[in-house]
Amino acid sequence: MNKITEDIVKDWLPTREEDTYKNKMGHVLCVGGNENMGGAAILSASAALYAGAGLVSVASSPKNLHALHARLPEAMFVDMYDQESLSENIEQADVIVLGPGLGLSEDSLDVFKTVINTVNEKQWLVLDGDGITHLVNESSTAEIPTENIILTPHPGEWQRLSGIQPPADSPEENQQKQKELAATVVLKKDRTEVYIEDEIWENTAGNPSMATGGMGDTLTGIIASLLGQYENKKQALLSAVYMHSAVADELAETYYVTLPTKIIEYLPIFMKNLQL
């Protein structure tokens, strides 16, 4: 199993061109956040922006608009229940995050189906949380019109996706199921495993201070952000997984709990230090 380490992530970090601008840094659309779980979408969008995305849009419940703009004035907003506006925003994005705080209502299912039916083969789709649950309940990855699919399940979600019950799962079994799903899998655990192409990578960073709500939402935002910035998408994904945990490792030297908001705030500093 390959190891994701700071040395390789440091080498992969691109240097921004002097004449670059926001449209060259990727446009991320985060879809999620129902009336009760708006924070999940806000965390994902915040992570995407702080990780360097040039443009970030949030498709969410209208009840989350003011909270989003108070927390993240740089982000754009669309009512995710307005299917026409949602479809237009999907078409403009480079990377779509679907699932954080989406919910499992009929309205949320309609949102899920709109994204699945609108995404095109050139775009990247990151499915997390309720997006994975809808995927299990309603369809298969073979029906999504793009091969650029990343699934970010925790062990329980992976069990529903794969039918493999932990702790009986093994890297070999997981890899076989990943190939059947025709998607890249980021299996979140104490040492997160990434199943991509014919390779298995294990994260070397991470610690128990990360055991708090919103951590996965933050990871999806970082993944989406780096996918929009890196030419090599495998390097982008592996770097995102490592950075998310490595920032928490540094913060854990001072903090008993590393809240997702703290990881997001420190992320640009961590990335800059990688260049030094």
Side-chain angles (χ1 to χ4, degrees):
M1 187 180 296
N2 302 297
K3 304 291 185 180
I4 315 173
T5 64
E6 182 167 320
D7 288 342
I8 60 175
V9 170
K10 182 183 181 76
D11 288 341
W12 290 340
L13 183 66
T15 299
R16 293 194 169 195
E17 299 174 358
E18 291 292 333
D19 61 348
T20 197
Y21 54 97
K22 61 185 179 183
N23 291 325
K24 294 178 70 175
M25 293 295 105
H27 186 170
V28 174
L29 172 64
C30 296
V31 183
N34 65 10
E35 291 79 359
N36 299 316
M37 294 183 287
I42 293 173
L43 283 171
S44 186
S46 298
L49 188 68
Y50 277 63
L55 294 167
V56 175
S57 298
V58 180
S60 189
S61 165
K63 292 188 177 181
N64 299 322
L65 172 60
H66 298 302
L68 172 70
H69 283 170
R71 173 68 178 85
L72 199 67
E74 298 90 347
M76 296 171 282
F77 179 84
V78 60
D79 180 352
M80 70 177 180
Y81 301 127
D82 182 336
Q83 293 192 15
E84 183 176 350
S85 295
L86 176 59
S87 295
E88 291 174 356
N89 278 265
I90 293 168
E91 292 169 356
Q92 295 170 6
D94 299 306
V95 186
I96 298 107
V97 173
L98 175 59
L102 179 63
L104 300 175
S105 68
E106 286 300 316
D107 287 340
S108 296
L109 177 58
D110 288 342
V111 172
F112 173 83
K113 290 180 176 179
T114 298
V115 175
I116 295 303
N117 293 331
T118 307
V119 66
N120 67 59
E121 60 183 11
K122 295 182 180 180
Q123 294 171 310
W124 283 82
L125 178 64
V126 183
L127 278 167
D128 182 59
D130 294 330
I132 292 176
T133 301
H134 282 301
L135 182 69
V136 172
N137 292 341
E138 302 295 331
S139 63
S140 71
T141 53
E143 297 171 347
I144 302 175
T146 177
E147 295 180 354
N148 302 324
I149 304 167
I150 297 175
L151 306 172
T152 62
H154 57 58
E157 291 166 340
W158 180 238
Q159 179 179 339
R160 293 195 293 274
L161 266 171
S162 67
I164 302 171
Q165 295 190 7
D169 63 322
S170 68
E172 293 74 22
E173 289 178 302
N174 292 339
Q175 187 177 51
Q176 179 59 41
K177 188 61 184 181
Q178 170 247 330
K179 291 180 179 179
E180 293 175 13
L181 290 168
T184 296
V185 173
V186 178
L187 181 54
K188 297 179 292 192
K189 51 204 307 189
D190 58 337
R191 283 289 174 260
T192 292
E193 296 166 359
V194 180
Y195 296 83
I196 183 168
E197 300 170 353
D198 292 322
E199 300 173 358
I200 305 174
W201 291 78
E202 183 182 61
N203 192 16
T204 59
N207 65 84
S209 77
M210 301 172 70
T212 187
M215 202 60 71
D217 306 317
T218 301
L219 175 60
T220 60
I222 300 172
I223 290 172
S225 183
L226 298 195
L227 285 171
Q229 297 175 68
Y230 285 50
E231 290 187 16
N232 187 308
K233 305 307 180 184
K234 180 169 67 176
Q235 293 178 3
L237 173 59
L238 297 176
S239 296
V241 169
Y242 178 82
M243 289 180 190
H244 174 248
S245 296
V247 169
D249 284 350
E250 291 196 10
L251 292 174
E253 295 178 7
T254 304
Y255 293 91
Y256 179 73
V257 176
T258 55
L259 294 178
T261 49
K262 292 296 183 183
I263 291 176
I264 291 167
E265 290 171 5
Y266 189 71
L267 183 59
I269 300 171
F270 178 86
M271 295 175 72
K272 184 63 178 178
N273 288 339
L274 282 179
Q275 287 188 319
L276 303 178

